[in-house]
Amino acid sequence: MRNARTVLRAHRARTAAALLAALALAATAGCSSSGGKGADDKPSDGAAAGGKPAATERMKIAMVTHSGEGDTFWDIVQSGAKVAASKDNVEFLYAANKEGKEQAQLVQTYIDQKVDGIVVTLAKPEAMQDVVKKAVAAGIPVVTINSGAEFSKELGALGHIGQDESVAGEAVGEELNRRGKQKALCVIHEQGNVSLEARCAGVKKTFRGTVENLNVEGTNMPASTSSIEAKLQSSKDIDAVVTLGAPFAAASVQAREGAGSKAEIDTFDLNAEVVKRLKAKEIGFAVDQQPYLQGYLAVDELWLHKVNGNVIGGGKPVLTGPALVTEKDVPALEKLTADGTR
């Protein structure tokens, strides 16, 4: 990993310390795996962590994200959340909807259930702000993850866990400069998502070449692939395609082949398919924001807040990325991505 190490160094210590604190507290309390599948209210497996859960009062924590159908990123987030939940004696509930209005309605159902804590994403903050404030007013602590960090505090959340999307985009722009690229296509798979827009804006800020955004229908992969292919056919000077989610990297590789383009494909986020294509040198680099850690720390923060009055990061955003990975990092990542934890 390189380039974004400088960005992360100051924050890793804080995140690691918070994680160690959570594990230590779990031990003193008697301690010893899906986003792409839509709404799922099944509680987590109490044996998932490989030992007895904490001897603290049973809690119920709900997570509501903006995941669209088939987005495997959220499977990794949930994997981390479920392990933390089993360790912390927490019943973990999950639901998702890519539309802001419907996502807000899901949060309301958990407020009505009087859960002990809610984890939520703020990809579309204007649709979520009222219901998040309502949860806080009802005495339900809220932690935001992944998107909308800049709105988290003003809505009353305990804190935010994720990467700084603007900084991540800037790191990508710098890496494209290092690779000598001249024209980049930034593929946005969900219109109106403030985090995706921030990523492309970050790329534009530091990239010395030109950047053009392309909006695609993220929940329709064949249509997305066709849109990218058509753009590469009509703009032969594009020498880099930046996708904002792991599934769209593979689609862009296919689109590149169909268009007869030589553009390098780079992407945000990791999964097993991205690592496979990094190894085959079909993808140049990927941005890792550690989604497993986002899920794990969010559940742990709500548990720690209830049993020990803790606030991870002191209320400041806790960064889980970015870090850039290339084919050189594949040996360390293959098993982890296959296991669904990276």
Side-chain angles (χ1 to χ4, degrees):
M1 299 183 186
R2 10 177 246 283
N3 193 16
R5 278 191 180 133
T6 302
V7 176
L8 284 176
R9 190 173 293 118
H11 303 280
R12 279 178 171 161
R14 180 173 67 187
T15 301
L19 183 55
L20 288 173
L23 293 173
L25 186 57
T28 61
C31 273
S32 30
S33 133
S34 44
K37 298 180 181 178
D40 181 5
D41 279 355
K42 294 180 180 179
S44 58
D45 182 357
K52 294 181 179 180
T56 52
E57 182 181 353
R58 182 74 164 166
M59 290 178 60
K60 184 179 290 188
I61 292 176
M63 178 182 289
V64 183
T65 76
H66 62 279
S67 171
E69 185 178 354
D71 191 341
T72 58
F73 176 91
W74 298 102
D75 296 338
I76 305 173
V77 173
Q78 286 187 79
S79 293
K82 289 177 180 179
V83 169
S86 62
K87 172 182 70 67
D88 295 341
N89 193 23
V90 165
E91 179 182 1
F92 176 70
L93 306 175
Y94 179 83
N97 197 296
K98 66 184 180 67
E99 300 297 335
K101 181 179 178 180
E102 283 73 12
Q103 186 189 1
Q105 290 174 346
L106 290 170
V107 174
Q108 181 62 57
T109 64
Y110 289 129
I111 294 174
D112 295 340
Q113 291 180 37
K114 296 181 170 58
V115 297
D116 297 293
I118 297 176
V119 182
V120 68
T121 59
L122 298 176
K124 296 174 180 176
E126 70 286 348
M128 298 297 294
Q129 58 185 2
D130 290 343
V131 76
V132 171
K133 290 179 180 178
K134 189 173 181 179
V136 174
I140 301 174
V142 175
V143 170
T144 64
I145 63 169
N146 181 260
S147 53
E150 63 271 36
F151 305 99
S152 180
K153 185 175 181 180
E154 68 182 70
L155 297 184
L158 291 177
H160 180 85
I161 299 168
Q163 73 178 1
D164 185 310
E165 304 294 5
S166 296
V167 171
E170 291 169 18
V172 169
E174 292 169 354
E175 180 67 10
L176 293 176
N177 290 334
R178 195 191 69 79
R179 292 169 178 253
K181 302 304 178 183
Q182 300 297 318
K183 184 175 182 179
L185 182 69
C186 196
V187 181
I188 300 177
H189 58 268
E190 183 183 348
Q191 293 188 48
N193 184 320
V194 294
S195 294
L196 301 186
E197 293 170 354
R199 290 177 181 182
C200 288
V203 175
K204 288 182 179 181
K205 183 176 180 179
T206 57
F207 183 44
R208 291 192 290 267
T210 59
V211 179
E212 182 177 350
N213 292 353
L214 175 68
N215 288 292
V216 300
E217 188 179 350
T219 55
N220 187 334
M221 197 60 73
S224 296
T225 304
S226 295
S227 295
I228 298 167
E229 181 177 335
K231 187 63 182 178
L232 291 176
Q233 286 176 333
S234 63
S235 301
K236 297 294 186 181
D237 55 342
I238 293 174
D239 56 6
V241 176
V242 179
T243 64
L244 306 183
F248 302 94
S252 294
V253 171
Q254 181 181 340
R256 176 180 61 190
E257 293 171 353
S261 170
K262 294 183 179 180
E264 177 179 289
I265 309 300
D266 303 306
T267 190
F268 282 76
D269 302 335
L270 281 179
N271 62 15
E273 182 68 19
V274 166
V275 170
K276 176 183 176 181
R277 292 181 183 274
L278 282 170
K279 186 175 184 178
K281 298 184 179 180
E282 294 176 339
I283 294 176
F285 65 88
V287 181
D288 182 18
Q289 62 169 308
Q290 302 186 97
Y292 183 93
L293 194 56
Q294 293 177 18
Y296 188 101
L297 285 178
V299 170
D300 243 13
E301 174 155 16
L302 289 167
W303 176 71
L304 283 165
H305 183 69
K306 180 171 183 178
V307 304
N308 205 48
N310 295 125
V311 178
I312 294 177
K316 300 290 186 180
V318 175
L319 300 189
T320 61
L324 302 189
V325 299
T326 69
E327 75 279 358
K328 295 180 181 178
D329 302 296
V330 167
L333 292 171
E334 283 184 300
K335 184 179 186 304
L336 299 175
T337 53
D339 290 342
T341 60
R342 289 293 293 276

